[in-house]
Amino acid sequence: MITKIQTKMDSTNRRGKRRQVSKDECLLDLKKDLPKIFKAFNRGVKKFNKVSSMFNPESKVRFDASVLNTAIVESLQVEFSNNWKWGKYKRFILRLNDYIFLVKKLNNNNMPMNIKTKHVNSISNQLSLPMFNSEVYQDDPILFFGYKTDRMGEIVSPQVVYIDENQVKWVVTENDVTSTETLFKPNTQNSSVKVSLKEQLVRRKASNE
């Protein structure tokens, strides 16, 4: 069940734009899917690290974001085999429970690292332009699933980012998802936190291999 709470004034102000959504609505609507997204990301990173380890570090020219994106996309395709499509401009689109996800590397301001085009600008402003050639109008809010790389080239900070008016409005991290899963299970909260930390350590270890 999708949470759609919107006043008449809000609806008027957002004419021509996609449905506005809050962080709390997202966590509620996608409480079953968000853990799977982060799980798929971890698998994709592990595969990328395995491929990357085949090359001599001294021979690598730079961090290859396209290879990492491919590994993450492939993992998401496996996890959500019936929920993805290729959209305009060969853009991978994951549609879950009336939300659209795009995968992108993020900069230090949590903004996607895109070349500024008219279509990119429409996405950053949640304009209701079609993401697919067959669409005329689309109301689903667009979310970015992104990640960053640190100075050592390690993959860090996986997160879901909601952008509107060309600004980051809110961010969902792996810890947010863990907290939501255990919200109604206070007796198991401590063990769940340990699992989250363990997963983060496993990803760091995989990055170093």
Side-chain angles (χ1 to χ4, degrees):
M1 181 178 180
I2 303 301
T3 307
K4 295 183 178 180
I5 304 173
Q6 192 175 52
T7 65
K8 185 175 181 181
M9 183 177 294
D10 290 335
S11 179
T12 300
N13 292 337
R14 292 190 67 79
R15 283 179 181 171
K17 300 189 70 172
R18 295 170 181 271
R19 175 172 59 89
Q20 192 172 29
V21 64
S22 69
K23 179 176 178 177
D24 288 341
E25 288 173 319
C26 175
L27 287 170
L28 179 62
D29 294 338
L30 299 172
K31 61 182 178 181
K32 294 182 179 179
D33 295 315
L34 288 173
K36 295 179 181 179
I37 290 177
F38 284 100
K39 178 182 176 182
F41 168 80
N42 291 332
R43 277 203 313 265
V45 170
K46 184 176 181 180
K47 182 169 185 176
F48 169 78
N49 287 328
K50 184 177 181 180
V51 172
S52 182
S53 67
M54 298 171 62
F55 298 95
N56 188 328
E58 295 181 358
S59 302
K60 294 179 183 178
V61 178
R62 62 181 176 82
F63 172 79
D64 196 342
S66 64
V67 176
L68 176 58
N69 262 31
T70 299
I72 296 171
V73 165
E74 180 187 62
S75 189
L76 288 169
Q77 288 172 329
V78 172
E79 190 70 39
F80 303 99
S81 58
N82 298 319
N83 301 93
W84 67 272
K85 289 184 179 181
W86 292 114
K88 285 186 173 182
Y89 313 111
K90 193 63 176 181
R91 182 180 278 114
F92 174 76
I93 295 175
L94 181 66
R95 179 176 282 167
L96 297 171
N97 211 7
D98 292 340
Y99 288 78
I100 288 177
F101 284 85
L102 306 179
V103 179
K104 201 68 181 176
K105 183 181 178 183
L106 306 174
N107 62 23
N108 292 332
N109 297 317
N110 293 327
M111 293 289 288
M113 298 181 70
N114 286 318
I115 297 174
K116 297 298 181 182
T117 64
K118 183 177 180 180
H119 199 254
V120 167
N121 184 63
S122 71
I123 292 174
S124 298
N125 286 280
Q126 296 290 330
L127 299 182
S128 56
L129 298 178
M131 296 292 289
F132 306 96
N133 292 325
S134 60
E135 287 181 338
V136 177
Y137 175 84
Q138 181 56 252
D139 187 52
D140 297 349
I142 297 174
L143 305 176
F144 284 94
F145 182 79
Y147 58 88
K148 301 176 185 177
T149 56
D150 61 18
R151 293 182 179 180
M152 301 300 294
E154 294 197 22
I155 302 137
V156 297
S157 302
Q159 55 196 288
V160 175
V161 183
Y162 178 69
I163 298 172
D164 194 10
E165 299 174 343
N166 208 32
Q167 295 179 355
V168 174
K169 297 298 183 179
W170 48 260
V171 172
V172 170
T173 67
E174 207 164 1
N175 288 335
D176 291 324
V177 172
T178 302
S179 299
T180 302
E181 283 188 295
T182 59
L183 184 61
F184 302 105
K185 298 179 181 179
N187 292 333
T188 60
Q189 185 172 6
N190 291 334
S191 60
S192 297
V193 172
K194 290 179 181 178
V195 171
S196 177
L197 291 173
K198 182 179 179 181
E199 289 175 351
Q200 292 178 17
L201 290 173
V202 169
R203 186 163 65 243
R204 291 197 191 98
K205 182 178 179 181
S207 299
N208 293 328
E209 293 178 353

